[in-house]
Amino acid sequence: METLHSPLSKNQLELLSLFSNRHVSDEDWGYIKDVIAVFFAKKSLDAANKAWDENNWDDAKVEELLKTHLRTPYNAGNQLG
């Protein structure tokens, strides 16, 4: 039997299912989005703090990182238009 692939992940489908049988007001939806945003912000901060601690970074290292150019060099031969 052929497996059908959804453009949505398992987690996205689970959220859709969770909210499919109940009305969520705009006010509640705003609160839910805030809770999700805070969750991911905390995870990001935790990861940044872990990297900071594991690498023994200090303010001087942050300044170095801010001044480091990590982008791929511009190639004038690949211009569009």
Side-chain angles (χ1 to χ4, degrees):
M1 177 188 278
E2 187 176 328
T3 303
L4 296 176
H5 296 283
S6 171
L8 300 176
S9 71
K10 178 183 168 226
N11 295 336
Q12 290 168 322
L13 290 170
E14 190 172 337
L15 281 172
L16 285 173
S17 176
L18 178 68
F19 292 113
S20 67
N21 295 324
R22 60 181 56 92
H23 172 74
V24 178
S25 70
D26 288 343
E27 181 180 354
D28 287 346
W29 184 241
Y31 178 76
I32 291 166
K33 291 193 307 185
D34 287 345
V35 168
I36 293 170
V38 167
F39 170 80
F40 284 111
K42 183 181 180 328
K43 285 188 67 134
S44 295
L45 285 173
D46 289 347
N49 287 333
K50 181 179 179 187
W52 180 282
D53 293 339
E54 288 177 353
N55 294 296
N56 297 316
W57 288 346
D58 56 15
D59 290 339
K61 180 63 178 181
V62 172
E63 285 300 318
E64 177 188 334
L65 290 171
L66 288 172
K67 294 176 183 174
T68 302
H69 297 280
L70 299 174
R71 296 187 324 187
T72 302
Y74 176 72
N75 184 348
N78 289 335
Q79 289 183 1
L80 296 177

